[in-house]
Each structure stands twice: as C-alpha cells, then as structure tokens.
Amino acid sequence: NMKTCVLLVVLSFMCVCGFTDRPSRSLETVHDEFHSYQTKKGSHFHMGHRPRAMVYTVNIKNSFPHDTKSFTQGLAFDEGKLYEGTGLFKHSQVRVLDLNRNVLLESSSLKRSIFGEGLTVWGDTVIQLTWESGFGRVCNKRNLTECDEYSYPPDAFVQGWGVTHDNESLIVSDGSSWLYFLDGQFNLKHKIRVRDETGSPVNDLNELEYINGEVWANMLGSNCIVRILPETGGVVSWIYADSLVNRANQKSPLNVLNGIAYDAFSDRLVMGGKRWPEFFEVSLVPKNIKQLPSHDEIREHCKAHQLSVDEMVAALDDEEAYSLI
C-alpha cells in the first residue's frame, strides 16, 4: 500500500546516505514529505516504540550588524528589504533595513503607550500586533504612517504576540499553544492547537514565520524553534538555535532568541534576537537520525534556559522598561 511504499523509499534513502550530520536539502525534503504525509494521516514516524520528530541545529552562514537598542519582536522580508517590528513601551517601532548595506531605510515610531509585537508584510501593508493594547495595526508599507487599527476578535485572544500569513489568512500567536487564523480585518476564521508528536500541547508560541507550507515559531525565552503544519497543528520538527544564542552572548534575561525571516526570492533564512548585536543568515543541519533525542530530551533541552512570562515581566520591571514614565 501507499504507506509501505513511502516507508521503503525512506529506508532505502537512509541506507544509501547514512544520515550523517551535514546540511542537506534533499534529506530535509525527503524527511519532511514523509513526516507530513504521516502526520496528515493521523500517525507518526516511529523509531523503536516511541514517536520521534526530526531535530536540526543551526549553522551560521553570514552575519549583519543590528541596533542593540532594537527589542526585536518580529521580522519579515519583502522585496529584498528586512522589516523589523520592535517592542518596549516608549521605544516600539517599525524599521525597514537593507542588510547587505547596513542601512536603515525607514522607520516609524508607535505611540509611547504601545508595546509593539510581531510583524508581517502582506501585499501593500505592514501588519504589526500590539501586546496589551488589544488591536493590530495595518499600515501602508510605502510610508508606514497611513495606518488602520483593528481590534482583536473577542472570541479569540487578548494579547498579540507573533504574526505571519499564508496569502489567505493572518496567522497569530498569543503565547499559548493556539494559532489563530484571521482575515485582513482581524476577524477570526478558525483556530488550531499545536501539539507535538506525543499529542501534548506546545505552549509559549511567539514570533512566527510562514515558510514553504509550514509555520515556524519561536518559543518565548527558549533556544528552540518549532516547525508546525498549519492544517493539523502537528509538529514536523524542532530547531536547536543554541549556536546563535552562544554567539550573541547576552547578559540580560530579556535579550532572548526572537525573530525569523525567510526571503523566498533569494532562499535566505535570517534569525535574530532582542537587542542582539547581529542578525544571522543560517542554514539547518539535520541531526543523525540514529541519534535523535527523545521527546522528553527535546522538551528538557528547550526549557533549559526558558523564562516564564512572569519572569520576563519582572525583568522588564527591573529595567524600568515596563514603565510609561
């Protein structure tokens, strides 16, 4: 049957290639097509008696200077330019960057009373969430100043965290395990819960990016990124971004990994963090499939350095960044 055929193809590929720890687009494609097929069918890829998700690490290909005053909340590429949404009361902005030339092309500040959150570019608009203000901003991307505000749907979420789109819907996170699908005026279409390969909810979903049919999500305060099938909410794989966190070498507990942007035109993947000195262009390195960590080991790794929301707010208080004064 079809499942047997697919499994035989994958096993043959494993035998030929050995699944060593090296970057490989074909390896990523074969695994994800197989895992996607299994997840959509309601089952999972098993190694032994336990379901396993694929795990990647991150290889740094290039780096670009980043303003260390920018509290990165969301990233998105459009027409070769990098759009950055930043946070903190009194300091939230939308910034448009030319990474290659290290030039700030344009910026627009939010009201001092607004804490900016995730950002995406859809058509001729830049869409930015707010944390606790209860609305999203939809701005003309040509000038960033002609903006409309749309209240969050009352039957969905209260806080805005991450946002991306699939050309049909906005996709929003609120720090929980839910993804919300909205129309362009922030009306709720549907929502879906994100679950790992064991069926457990994956919480703390933050900054989002839609990449080749998947939603990639930072986990608040964690060194991990989770890749999600938007049709089912199933986890496809995990990304350990420890190499970026180690390179950034930040002292403040607030300056965590956050920000994913994919430029489909140039096939460029960029990641960053809050007030980090650099953005990083990266590639993914698949872990040896014979040595994949267990579900419990993945969860332990991703929570090893993670702060809770309360701890993040306390850190904001310590820096007086939560104050409007």
Side-chain angles (χ1 to χ4, degrees):
N1 60 26
M2 178 62 75
K3 287 186 179 181
T4 302
C5 292
V6 173
L7 182 58
L8 288 174
V9 170
V10 174
L11 291 175
S12 298
F13 190 86
M14 289 166 57
C15 292
V16 172
C17 296
F19 279 76
T20 55
D21 288 347
R22 64 180 185 277
S24 173
R25 181 175 298 275
S26 59
L27 170 60
E28 180 179 347
T29 301
V30 167
H31 173 270
D32 287 352
E33 285 179 353
F34 177 68
H35 199 153
S36 176
Y37 172 81
Q38 293 287 70
T39 303
K40 289 177 181 178
K41 291 295 184 182
S43 58
H44 298 277
F45 182 36
H46 282 73
M47 295 292 291
H49 298 291
R50 299 214 34 183
R52 298 286 182 92
M54 193 64 185
V55 177
Y56 297 86
T57 57
V58 171
N59 175 61
I60 298 173
K61 298 173 61 178
N62 201 357
S63 63
F64 308 91
H66 178 234
D67 185 348
T68 54
K69 294 180 181 178
S70 293
F71 197 76
T72 305
Q73 300 287 70
L75 299 175
F77 273 111
D78 184 72
E79 298 178 344
K81 296 176 288 189
L82 183 67
Y83 287 73
E84 179 184 20
T86 72
L88 299 179
F89 291 117
K90 303 177 289 187
H91 301 290
S92 295
Q93 291 185 319
V94 176
R95 296 159 48 85
V96 187
L97 308 164
D98 183 326
L99 286 186
N100 294 328
R101 295 190 296 141
N102 187 27
V103 174
L104 175 63
L105 301 174
E106 194 171 358
S107 67
S108 176
S109 296
L110 281 65
K111 295 177 183 178
R112 291 167 58 86
S113 60
I114 296 175
F115 195 118
E117 281 286 346
L119 167 148
T120 192
V121 182
W122 189 5
D124 293 327
T125 62
V126 177
I127 299 167
Q128 186 180 26
L129 304 182
T130 62
W131 180 25
E132 297 179 315
S133 297
F135 62 84
R137 304 170 71 245
V138 180
C139 302
N140 185 327
K141 76 176 182 182
R142 302 302 175 189
N143 55 35
L144 303 181
T145 57
E146 299 174 16
C147 301
D148 295 317
E149 297 178 356
Y150 295 97
S151 297
Y152 295 153
D155 51 347
F157 51 93
V158 176
Q159 297 181 351
W161 285 39
V163 62
T164 186
H165 71 88
D166 60 3
N167 285 321
E168 295 183 358
S169 304
L170 292 174
I171 306 172
V172 172
S173 68
D174 66 346
S176 68
S177 59
W178 292 92
L179 292 178
Y180 304 89
F181 295 75
L182 315 177
D183 65 20
Q185 296 184 336
F186 282 75
N187 298 304
L188 181 65
K189 299 168 72 173
H190 68 278
K191 64 181 182 179
I192 194 164
R193 196 165 203 181
V194 176
R195 298 181 184 274
D196 65 20
E197 62 277 16
T198 69
S200 301
V202 179
N203 296 308
D204 305 311
L205 301 179
N206 195 10
E207 215 276 287
L208 305 177
E209 181 77 345
Y210 187 82
I211 304 177
N212 296 331
E214 298 174 1
V215 176
W216 293 27
N218 284 115
M219 298 174 66
L220 175 69
S222 171
N223 296 356
C224 292
I225 294 168
V226 61
R227 295 168 57 178
I228 305 157
L229 289 173
E231 300 90 349
T232 65
V235 170
V236 175
S237 55
W238 301 80
I239 300 170
Y240 290 175
D242 301 70
S243 59
L244 305 186
V245 176
N246 293 338
R247 169 82 171 255
N249 191 30
Q250 295 296 291
K251 305 302 182 186
S252 169
L254 293 174
N255 296 356
V256 296
L257 174 75
N258 201 49
I260 309 165
Y262 178 64
D263 187 352
F265 181 78
S266 62
D267 193 28
R268 179 165 60 162
L269 178 62
V270 169
M271 297 179 181
K274 301 175 187 290
R275 299 187 296 202
W276 284 11
E278 296 174 295
F279 289 121
F280 300 104
E281 181 180 354
V282 303
S283 60
L284 301 186
V285 183
K287 279 189 169 290
N288 189 318
I289 202 166
K290 297 178 181 179
Q291 300 174 352
L292 285 179
S294 68
H295 163 75
D296 291 339
E297 289 170 333
I298 292 172
R299 286 300 189 122
E300 182 178 352
H301 182 95
C302 292
K303 289 184 177 295
H305 307 288
Q306 190 172 19
L307 295 180
S308 69
V309 176
D310 289 342
E311 289 172 323
M312 294 284 281
V313 171
L316 285 169
D317 277 335
D318 288 343
E319 294 191 14
E320 298 183 350
Y322 196 66
S323 171
L324 293 177
I325 300 174

